[in-house]
Amino acid sequence: MKFLLISIALSALTVNLAYAETGEKLYLQHCASCHGQKMEGGVGPNLADAIWVKAQAQRESIMGFVAKGSPEGGMPAWKNKLNEKQLGELADYILMPKFEKTTERNAVDSYPELKHFRLPVGFKISVYTDQVPSARAIAVTDSGIVFVGSRTAGKVYAVLDKNHDGVADEVITLAENLNAPIGLTLLNGALYVSEMSRVIRFDDIEKSYTKKPVYKVVKDDFPKDKWHGEKIIQASPDGKLYIPIGAPCNVCDKENEPYSKIYRMNPDGSNFEVFAKGIRNSVGFAFHSITKELWFTDNNRDEMGDNMPSCELNYAPKAGMHFGFPYCHSGVLPDPEFGKLRSCDEFTPPAVNLGPHVAPLGLKFYTGKKFPEQYRNQLFIAEHGSWNRTQKIGYKVSLATIVNNKVVSTTPFVEGFIQNEKTIGRPVDVNFLSDGSMLISDDSGGRIYRVDYQ
């Protein structure tokens, strides 16, 4: 299991940092020629993680192994060259979390706000990259290429971690001069990008992303309204593409127009059809990892005060469902203007109300193996945070625990994007690397964060 580059769990350190400073000198003098300057491995094995065959990730175990050596493995015994104090210093250095061993000796000092983030025990957060302005949707290939859309820059980026150390090494501009490309999804080897009024496709993306590939237009006749006009896109398990058209207003009745709906279509843009209605502004779709059914977020109306209505997480197991907008909000609250036209009883209520103005956006079910078992097949939601509330709320990643298609609880998972009413970041999307760690995009700070479990 890899150690994180930047960790907020400083209290978990069990090594002597002063010893480790001296241990670095001993390591470079005696060990680096075989194990690499950064413990990346060479003639000897990689020491950068804590999975070793002949020693445990414990101080005493490492000291004993280094002292005795491994003649059959080609490693000499060091007990006659290093005394017990030096062996301890060397072990402390090897065990030190990786951020203390990089060229930025105290990389956490570059992001001091991370010290005040809050996660469950065992989880740690780091900055994967801070070179993606206005980072929005995240799409990740099986090989680990991270594609990110940027709203204000009008670009799509490819983010690469070439040495697999949990920190991006390179950010490549894949495409530019696009109109708010906030939605990305992968399907059949292609990267689909949703702009304000069209969907485009980059074929064979893993082979072409470094070459400024030419895109193909899939569909270009969406409404051009700027109010809730930016669009996400998500491929479904059955090979369809889902895309919303939001309400072009705070609240208005567009029932008989293309707005306030979720649509689906074939990968070539054909068979474009309504899937669900009564949705003000959805900026997040996720398909359950087992049932393959759709869950989505919805941002409810403004101008009804600080505490109403609540934003929603919705469950849509079939086509044709209506979720209430503009007549009913949060499942129980008639709209002051349009509520007299229809009753809340007519509509599908939210799976859960997430809170007023928290602005839930991207969401994703966890299917990896790195996090503890209780997180498997559960739903993580990025809450962008309120912009129009007396006291800000949201600004976090939440966990929705789902049993038999019912949300039994919602709990904070990553907090700290707002500290003393100061905005540190605004989460937009969540996705996962193949190693099971989580990525979180932040369009305010232009960052992508990585959450690991250890």
Side-chain angles (χ1 to χ4, degrees):
M1 184 182 296
K2 294 287 186 181
F3 286 89
L4 290 174
L5 176 68
I6 304 162
S7 168
I8 64 166
L10 299 177
S11 61
L13 293 180
T14 58
V15 299
N16 187 314
L17 300 185
Y19 271 29
E21 291 289 334
T22 306
E24 180 182 21
K25 298 175 183 177
L26 291 169
Y27 176 85
L28 293 174
Q29 180 180 356
H30 300 297
C31 311
S33 59
C34 290
H35 295 283
Q37 294 286 316
K38 298 181 179 180
M39 303 191 190
E40 71 274 18
V43 177
N46 159 41
L47 301 178
D49 56 31
I51 301 175
W52 304 315
V53 175
K54 298 183 178 180
Q56 297 178 347
Q58 298 173 359
R59 192 173 191 265
E60 293 75 14
S61 177
I62 295 173
M63 289 174 64
F65 179 72
V66 173
K68 296 178 181 178
S70 177
E72 71 278 9
M75 177 176 169
W78 291 91
K79 60 185 178 182
N80 295 325
K81 296 184 179 179
L82 300 176
N83 58 37
E84 186 171 356
K85 177 175 178 293
Q86 290 172 317
L87 290 169
E89 292 168 341
L90 184 59
D92 283 333
Y93 177 65
I94 293 172
L95 284 172
M96 187 185 298
K98 203 167 186 180
F99 69 80
E100 290 289 348
K101 294 183 290 196
T102 61
T103 52
E104 288 186 275
R105 293 291 306 160
N106 294 298
V108 72
D109 291 340
S110 300
Y111 309 103
E113 63 274 16
L114 290 181
K115 298 177 183 178
H116 304 290
F117 274 58
R118 297 176 298 281
L119 294 88
V121 173
F123 289 91
K124 299 182 180 183
I125 190 167
S126 63
V127 174
Y128 191 69
T129 180
D130 58 7
Q131 299 300 309
V132 183
S134 190
R136 298 285 293 193
I138 304 172
V140 184
T141 69
D142 292 339
S143 65
I145 303 170
V146 177
F147 295 107
V148 186
S150 171
R151 167 200 271 166
T152 56
K155 297 180 180 181
V156 176
Y157 300 96
V159 182
L160 309 175
D161 176 13
K162 295 180 177 178
N163 61 358
H164 306 290
D165 66 349
V167 182
D169 309 303
E170 186 176 8
V171 177
I172 298 171
T173 299
L174 164 69
E176 51 193 336
N177 299 319
L178 303 178
N179 187 3
I182 72 163
L184 303 179
T185 194
L186 293 159
L187 181 63
N188 301 327
L191 177 69
Y192 286 80
V193 179
S194 52
E195 299 181 79
M196 189 80 74
S197 61
R198 68 177 182 174
V199 173
I200 59 178
R201 184 184 77 228
F202 297 87
D203 290 328
D204 202 11
I205 190 62
E206 291 198 73
K207 294 181 180 178
S208 64
Y209 72 94
T210 62
K211 305 171 184 176
K212 288 290 182 72
V214 176
Y215 60 78
K216 297 178 181 178
V217 176
V218 176
K219 187 174 177 63
D220 62 356
D221 57 353
F222 291 96
K224 295 180 172 61
D225 306 82
K226 291 186 178 180
W227 200 332
H228 302 153
E230 297 170 340
K231 295 170 179 65
I232 60 165
I233 190 168
Q234 185 63 51
S236 66
D238 63 358
K240 295 278 190 176
L241 293 170
Y242 283 65
I243 191 166
I245 298 179
C249 56
N250 175 34
V251 59
C252 53
D253 190 347
K254 299 291 184 180
E255 186 81 353
N256 297 319
E257 299 180 47
Y259 305 98
S260 310
K261 299 173 181 68
I262 293 174
Y263 295 82
R264 64 183 176 186
M265 63 184 180
N266 293 331
D268 61 0
S270 63
N271 197 26
F272 187 73
E273 61 182 357
V274 174
F275 179 78
K277 300 179 180 180
I279 298 145
R280 179 176 178 267
N281 182 34
S282 179
V283 196
F285 300 157
F287 292 89
H288 194 283
S289 42
I290 297 175
T291 69
K292 314 302 181 186
E293 294 167 337
L294 177 65
W295 294 71
F296 66 92
T297 55
D298 196 10
N299 289 242
N300 251 324
R301 65 160 293 175
D302 300 315
E303 300 176 359
M304 288 184 67
D306 274 4
N307 297 315
M308 63 177 68
S310 179
C311 294
E312 303 173 6
L313 170 65
N314 292 290
Y315 168 51
K318 61 182 180 180
M321 301 173 73
H322 196 300
F323 292 86
F325 181 84
Y327 316 105
C328 180
H329 312 296
S330 311
V332 296
L333 182 65
D335 185 80
E337 182 178 355
F338 299 102
K340 58 188 176 183
L341 301 177
R342 299 182 67 175
S343 168
C344 285
D345 294 336
E346 298 180 48
F347 309 116
T348 301
V352 69
N353 286 314
L354 297 171
H357 312 295
V358 299
L361 303 185
L363 65 169
K364 189 81 171 178
F365 285 93
Y366 186 71
T367 59
K369 297 181 179 179
K370 173 164 282 195
F371 293 4
E373 182 64 27
Q374 64 263 32
Y375 295 98
R376 190 78 57 83
N377 302 314
Q378 301 303 330
L379 185 60
F380 291 94
I381 307 167
E383 297 183 15
H384 201 224
S386 58
W387 59 271
N388 57 348
R389 198 172 183 275
T390 304
Q391 288 186 317
K392 296 179 179 179
I393 60 172
Y395 297 88
K396 63 186 176 184
V397 174
S398 295
L399 169 69
T401 301
I402 299 170
V403 178
N404 296 328
N405 300 320
K406 303 290 185 182
V407 178
V408 297
S409 68
T410 57
T411 53
F413 181 70
V414 181
E415 295 181 290
F417 292 100
I418 186 167
Q419 298 174 15
N420 298 320
E421 289 294 303
K422 178 183 177 182
T423 299
I424 305 301
R426 302 190 73 186
V428 175
D429 199 13
V430 292
N431 211 321
F432 301 96
L433 294 169
S434 59
D435 69 357
S437 60
M438 172 189 285
L439 298 180
I440 306 166
S441 61
D442 163 19
D443 65 348
S444 174
R447 297 175 177 176
I448 298 176
Y449 295 86
R450 180 172 178 260
V451 175
D452 200 5
Y453 181 79
Q454 188 171 301

